[in-house]
Amino acid sequence: MIKTVTTTPYDDQKPGTSGLRKKVPHFQQPNYVENFIQSIFDSLEGYEGKTLVIGGDGRYFNREVIQIALRMAAAAGFGKAMVGRGGILSTPAASNIIRKYGAFGGIILSASHNPGGPNEDFGIKYNASNGGPAPEKITDAIYARTREIKEYKVLDAPDVDLDAEGTFQLGEMAVEVVDPVADYAALMEELFDFPALKAMFADGFTMSMDSMSAVTGPYAKEILENRLGAAPGTVKNATPLPDFGGHHPDPNLVHAKELYDLMMSEDAPDFGAASDGDGDRNLVIGKGIFITPSDSLAMLSANAHLAPGYAGGLAGIARSMPTSGAADRVAEKLGIGIYETPTGWKFFGNLLDAGMATICGEESAGTGSNHVREKDGLWAVLLWLNILAARKEPAKAIAEAHWKEFGRNYYARHDYEGIDTAAANGLMDALREKLPELPGKEIAGLKIVEADDFAYLDPVDGSTSSKQGIRVLFEGGSRVVFRLSGTGTSGATLRVYIERYEDDPAKLDQETQAALADLIAAAEEVAEISTRTGRSEPDVIT
Ligand code: VG1
Ligand code: CO
């Protein structure tokens, strides 16, 4: 029943920041999916008879690829596959299932915040037995394999019914279709003070959670509405749709604008939140206040001990390099470690496994902890709720008190999307070439003290990653960072990260873009953004 199929390699299956992402028609080329999945299996050792977790964010093409992955896993010799009912598993829920059931690894089908549909994006990523994204040494091996693959193996068998829970047989492999929400909800109940949250909702606390027609809908409904008693309708866009209702499931101020406008209005509920396609990102907005993800990381870290799961304190905090330094000040005060990694959750895995960091975060709306090995959107929302319940203060008061205590890192990210790849590479190359002559120079009235291309030495396994983003540091601790996205599927996306630290109590209440105006001008001047990209303004500002 196992067929061996001859194939030829594709040359563009290099995993990016988080797995392989391409347009659906690209994935639909003959053997494109099969080549990549076989290359994953060929790069692993010792999985025979073990368990593979499979699930996705429900986007277009999810079900088809799950069937292919199941037939190939059976042919490869896995003993069992655990699949979320309906093919659904959020990224953090998949990470939890891998860990909880001691699976060998998992395949998660998602292009996260990228849009879905017949002509939109799809993605495949592999997570290892710690539940986290495959580290670079595995993704490099997968890529190398895709360049030379000659055949793949697949079981000749009909589709598995993904909509009925239970255990089925697929050749020699068992397929268990599981409730996608139950294990995850149980984990959240262990970490957070559900009775206190229930009491808070019973006392009239209101919130709006936008699941963006993506994967967190069923999770948020079960946890917020069913278990915590939030009013029905608290979770909006709660049904995962293959095309996310035609929107980008990207919880930022552009794509979750409705929520933002509501939270800034007179009728705002007490708290607002949103999550992305695969449920690993979060957007949190208090009544009348947007909290940047970098600030959220700092504020959650400073208050985490108020939640039962973190009552013993934190071992350390890790943040990606472009994330603001707000968390560093919290770590310093708590006397715990702070780690700065390249962009992408895969770099946090070793720090979490080694017990060096408890909470991790990225400026791109990703926050998480050692409870799984992925960032976790709903976890961040629940930790915020737990803190609100414990402190009995609104988010705005908590944020303002935080800035008073630690100072404020004004922060923004400017994205230039879908720009010409050659122009984007040219911009980065030119910046790289300029690096040695930048220190000491003055641009837009600001003095540069240091400039480098971020390289990371993993303190746990000694691996190194270079060219992870260009940093230009100014006198006084302000900085701009430039890097190219590793998750886009058309052209290139330039990300410019801008940060200024302010501890003058009289200057903690400025409008962000105004507080950053001179740095924005400096970024333009040093990188020649408009001449090189032909864009006078970013597409997205967060
Ligand atoms: C982006 C974010 C990064 C995040 C990655 C995956 O990567 O900047 O912080 O880890 O997306 O997130 P890039 O290379 O485009 O900047 V998710 O939620 O899209 O899986
Ligand atoms: Co995501």
Side-chain angles (χ1 to χ4, degrees):
M1 291 224 285
I2 294 175
K3 285 193 303 186
T4 300
V5 183
T6 311
T7 187
T8 47
Y10 286 90
D11 63 3
D12 64 352
Q13 297 195 314
K14 188 174 170 53
T17 312
S18 176
L20 179 69
R21 293 186 193 181
K22 302 281 176 202
K23 297 283 175 209
V24 168
H26 202 94
F27 266 107
Q28 288 168 328
Q29 296 174 86
N31 298 339
Y32 196 86
V33 167
E34 289 84 351
N35 276 15
F36 191 69
I37 293 178
Q38 188 66 53
S39 298
I40 295 175
F41 295 159
D42 289 350
S43 309
L44 306 172
E45 260 170 42
Y47 55 75
E48 291 78 9
K50 305 254 170 74
T51 300
L52 182 70
V53 173
I54 306 177
D57 63 10
R59 71 178 58 224
Y60 187 88
F61 208 37
N62 191 45
R63 283 173 178 264
E64 289 86 339
V65 176
I66 287 182
Q67 299 292 352
I68 296 172
L70 283 170
R71 283 194 280 266
M72 290 184 65
F78 278 94
K80 179 176 169 181
M82 292 177 81
V83 194
R85 192 185 57 241
I88 293 288
L89 280 180
S90 77
T91 288
S95 181
N96 179 45
I97 289 182
I98 295 171
R99 295 169 66 76
K100 183 166 179 176
Y101 297 100
F104 186 85
I107 289 181
I108 304 175
L109 307 173
S110 172
S112 190
H113 57 288
N114 299 6
N119 292 307
E120 296 296 351
D121 292 3
F122 191 76
I124 304 180
K125 53 184 175 174
Y126 178 72
N127 280 33
S129 56
N130 70 346
E136 281 195 322
K137 80 173 183 289
I138 299 184
T139 53
D140 288 348
I142 295 171
Y143 177 53
R145 186 67 192 158
T146 63
R147 305 298 304 271
E148 57 192 30
I149 186 165
K150 293 194 177 67
E151 57 182 43
Y152 65 85
K153 288 192 164 55
V154 63
L155 188 79
D156 198 3
D159 281 1
V160 172
D161 180 1
L162 297 177
D163 296 305
E165 275 171 45
T167 303
F168 309 89
Q169 206 59 33
L170 192 62
E172 303 276 290
M173 185 179 80
V175 178
E176 189 183 349
V177 178
V178 300
D179 179 338
V181 177
D183 290 311
Y184 179 83
L187 176 62
M188 294 301 114
E189 219 161 330
E190 276 169 36
L191 298 173
F192 302 114
D193 188 350
F194 271 39
L197 295 186
K198 245 178 130 160
M200 182 170 78
F201 280 112
D203 276 354
F205 183 89
T206 53
M207 100 174 254
S208 181
M209 163 83 205
D210 188 349
S211 282
M212 305 192 87
S213 305
V215 81
T216 57
Y219 297 85
K221 267 215 164 295
E222 171 61 21
I223 295 171
L224 298 173
E225 297 184 12
N226 298 347
R227 299 199 186 193
L228 295 175
T234 294
V235 186
K236 313 263 171 351
N237 301 315
T239 306
L241 300 175
D243 67 348
F244 308 117
H247 299 290
H248 287 226
D250 192 347
N252 61 30
L253 299 182
V254 172
H255 297 296
K257 186 163 188 309
E258 226 171 275
L259 175 72
Y260 177 79
D261 291 343
L262 171 69
M263 293 310 297
M264 297 302 139
S265 75
E266 291 280 300
D267 322 312
D270 295 308
F271 197 65
S275 54
D276 73 334
D278 60 333
D280 56 0
R281 296 189 184 198
N282 71 91
L283 173 76
V284 288
I285 313 182
K287 194 177 192 156
I289 188 168
F290 164 63
I291 297 174
T292 68
S294 294
D295 271 349
S296 179
L297 172 66
M299 292 167 192
L300 291 176
S301 300
N303 292 285
H305 61 278
L306 298 172
Y310 307 92
L314 309 177
I317 308 171
R319 62 164 174 85
S320 66
M321 180 276 283
T323 304
S324 95
D328 303 30
R329 295 173 192 278
V330 174
E332 197 183 317
K333 185 143 198 179
L334 294 175
I336 58 176
I338 176 84
Y339 305 92
E340 187 177 36
T341 61
T343 292
W345 210 262
K346 60 187 167 207
F347 295 102
F348 293 133
N350 280 344
L351 296 169
L352 291 165
D353 286 348
M356 294 163 80
T358 308
I359 288 191
C360 307
E362 294 191 279
E363 50 62 43
S364 55
T367 340
S369 86
N370 59 355
H371 68 292
V372 289
R373 291 294 179 273
E374 286 278 6
K375 53 191 187 272
D376 187 345
L378 265 175
W379 169 90
V381 173
L382 289 166
L383 181 49
W384 262 104
L385 291 176
N386 199 141
I387 292 165
L388 297 178
R391 288 186 50 161
K392 301 194 190 320
E393 282 175 283
K396 188 161 197 246
I398 291 176
E400 286 169 354
H402 186 97
W403 294 330
K404 232 185 193 160
E405 183 176 354
F406 295 97
R408 179 170 177 184
N409 293 68
Y410 285 97
Y411 188 88
R413 186 177 93 184
H414 290 192
D415 293 330
Y416 300 79
E417 296 177 343
I419 56 178
D420 179 66
T421 306
N425 289 330
L427 181 150
M428 293 301 287
D429 290 344
L431 261 175
R432 229 168 244 130
E433 241 163 68
K434 263 191 212 171
L435 284 176
E437 64 196 56
L438 287 180
K441 264 209 171 144
E442 193 162 301
I443 45 168
L446 295 163
K447 191 161 175 211
I448 300 176
V449 290
E450 228 181 297
D452 69 0
D453 195 348
F454 181 62
Y456 181 60
L457 169 66
D458 186 311
V460 179
D461 67 10
S463 61
T464 53
S465 309
S466 56
K467 291 189 162 184
Q468 296 294 327
I470 289 176
R471 308 190 277 193
V472 181
L473 299 147
F474 300 93
E475 224 166 41
S478 299
R479 64 171 190 168
V480 291
V481 174
F482 302 86
R483 62 177 280 283
L484 299 182
S485 157
T487 58
T489 56
S490 41
T493 292
L494 170 69
R495 303 202 195 284
V496 185
Y497 310 82
I498 307 137
E499 175 179 2
R500 149 164 293 131
Y501 177 66
E502 182 60 72
D503 60 358
D504 178 346
K507 293 185 179 161
L508 295 176
D509 195 23
Q510 303 171 60
E511 198 271 311
T512 299
Q513 298 304 313
L516 299 175
D518 53 350
L519 287 160
I520 293 169
E524 164 62 38
E525 193 178 324
V526 73
E528 303 159 9
I529 300 171
S530 52
T531 37
R532 287 184 176 274
T533 67
R535 301 284 175 84
S536 55
E537 265 175 38
D539 299 278
V540 181
I541 298 181
T542 41

